[in-house]
Structures are given as C-alpha cells and as structure tokens.
Amino acid sequence: MAGTTSPRLEAAAARVRRFSPAERWVHRMTAILMGVCVATAACLYVPQLAELVGRRALVVTVHEWSGLLLPAPFLAGLASRAFRGDLRLLNRFGPHDRAWLRRRTRRAGKFNAGQKLYAGWLAGAVLVMLGTGLLMWFTHLAPLSWRTGSTFVHDWLALALGVVIAGHVGMAWADPESRRGMRTGSVDPEWAEQEHPLWRR
C-alpha cells in the first residue's frame, strides 16, 4: 500500500546517528593495524608463538610496516569534519567528566571520561611506540644507549598496550549497542539517553 513503510525502515529511522562513515573507517583501520602490531609483537616475543609461526624476518617486516602505518588512518580522518568534531570533544574535560570518574553520576556527553582518557593515552602511546620503533629500526639514527633505552620502553609499553586494548575490547564486547553504533553508525535512543544523556539531549 502506498505511504506505508516496513518495520525495518521505521526502526532504522528511530535510531540516533552517532558516527559518520569516515569515523567508522578510521576506527576500523586503526583497529586492524593495531591488531597486526600486537599479534606480530606476540609472535616475536613469546617463544611458543615464534616456533609456531616461524619466518621471523617476515614477521618483523609486517610488524614494522603496520606500526609505521598506524597513524595513517588518523591523518586521513582529519579530512572529515565529523572526525575533527569528535577530536575536539575527546580533548575537552568538563565537571561532568570528573563527576563520572568519581562514580557520582552517569551523566556523559558523546564520550564519557573513561573513553576520553583511553583515547588520550592511546594517542600518546602510539607516538612513543612510533618514535622508539624508528630508533630500533634505523640503528644509525641514535647512539647505542638511546637504542637500548628505546628497546626497553618499546617492549614494556607494548605489554601495557596489550593489556589496555584487551580491556577496551572486553568493555566493548559487554556493550552490544556500543558495538552496533561503531558498526552501523547509529544507536538506540534509549541506550543514548542512559549512557550519554548530555549528548542525546
């Protein structure tokens, strides 16, 4: 009948747009490159995995290039107005964020305080990993003492990254609607009102 819509279209129209295609692409490509970095690092440092995978030279090359390319999705995302807008939101800490951290309220904007801290920490960690990785890759760039320090920082920060990323994945796994928002770009209005009321309003 003319003028009628399917239940699926009505449900899609009722959802709230959360992320643009460009933002989802940046997240997806960053996750892939980070996953490759973590997996290849594990193969390089865990003896059992190293024996299972073999071909150490190839693993090293894949690890180096995936690490070098890690900032590329972020840099490409800067062409998107929506992505730049979200960066501004992630970079601002308000009174409601401090209250959220103290567990006094669940009031949050588009991103809660935990997400803001995670994004900032991850951005800094990637820059440090890139810098120390370049010193380890191009050995002529710095004296031996610098390269030794870079190896120490790179290895321990890699372990910390693995733990933090595992926590991020675990929290996302426990929140299907959050994952759906990153996958499709839209979320349920009730979820938005419960988890990010300041943004929803």
Side-chain angles (χ1 to χ4, degrees):
M1 180 183 293
T4 61
T5 57
S6 69
R8 175 180 284 184
L9 289 175
E10 289 179 355
R15 294 177 66 78
V16 180
R17 179 170 176 173
R18 184 160 170 80
F19 295 114
S20 70
E23 292 170 292
R24 301 196 320 267
W25 179 86
V26 170
H27 184 270
R28 191 167 295 130
M29 295 307 298
T30 302
I32 290 171
L33 288 169
M34 183 65 78
V36 172
C37 282
V38 170
T40 51
C43 292
L44 291 172
Y45 287 99
V46 179
Q48 294 82 355
L49 289 177
E51 291 175 9
L52 182 65
V53 175
R55 305 191 67 179
R56 182 178 178 85
L58 176 61
V59 174
V60 168
T61 300
V62 172
H63 181 76
E64 290 171 341
W65 281 102
S66 60
L68 192 63
L69 291 171
L70 197 52
F74 173 87
L75 295 174
L78 293 176
S80 163
R81 181 181 298 174
F83 182 69
R84 294 195 306 271
D86 274 359
L87 288 180
R88 284 191 290 272
L89 292 176
L90 284 166
N91 199 36
R92 286 185 171 84
F93 227 79
H96 61 280
D97 293 309
R98 287 185 282 276
W100 188 94
L101 285 173
R102 296 188 194 103
R103 298 298 183 193
R104 293 180 180 173
T105 179
R106 289 182 62 87
R107 287 162 51 86
K110 186 171 186 180
F111 304 102
N112 62 45
Q115 292 167 325
K116 292 179 180 182
L117 290 175
Y118 172 77
W121 186 88
L122 188 65
V126 166
L127 289 176
V128 172
M129 292 295 280
L130 183 62
T132 54
L134 286 172
L135 288 177
M136 294 163 61
W137 189 1
F138 299 103
T139 55
H140 62 281
L141 291 177
L144 177 61
S145 60
W146 286 28
R147 298 198 306 271
T148 302
S150 293
T151 302
F152 178 83
V153 172
H154 197 86
D155 291 352
W156 282 102
L157 187 54
L159 180 62
L161 265 170
V163 172
V164 171
I165 290 170
H168 175 69
V169 171
M171 293 183 74
W173 190 261
D175 190 347
E177 191 59 32
S178 178
R179 294 199 317 273
R180 192 174 295 114
M182 186 52 72
R183 189 175 66 252
T184 67
S186 62
V187 294
D188 180 77
E190 292 183 6
W191 178 89
E193 183 64 37
Q194 179 181 347
E195 298 293 333
H196 302 274
L198 299 180
W199 166 69
R200 174 70 178 116
R201 295 167 192 168

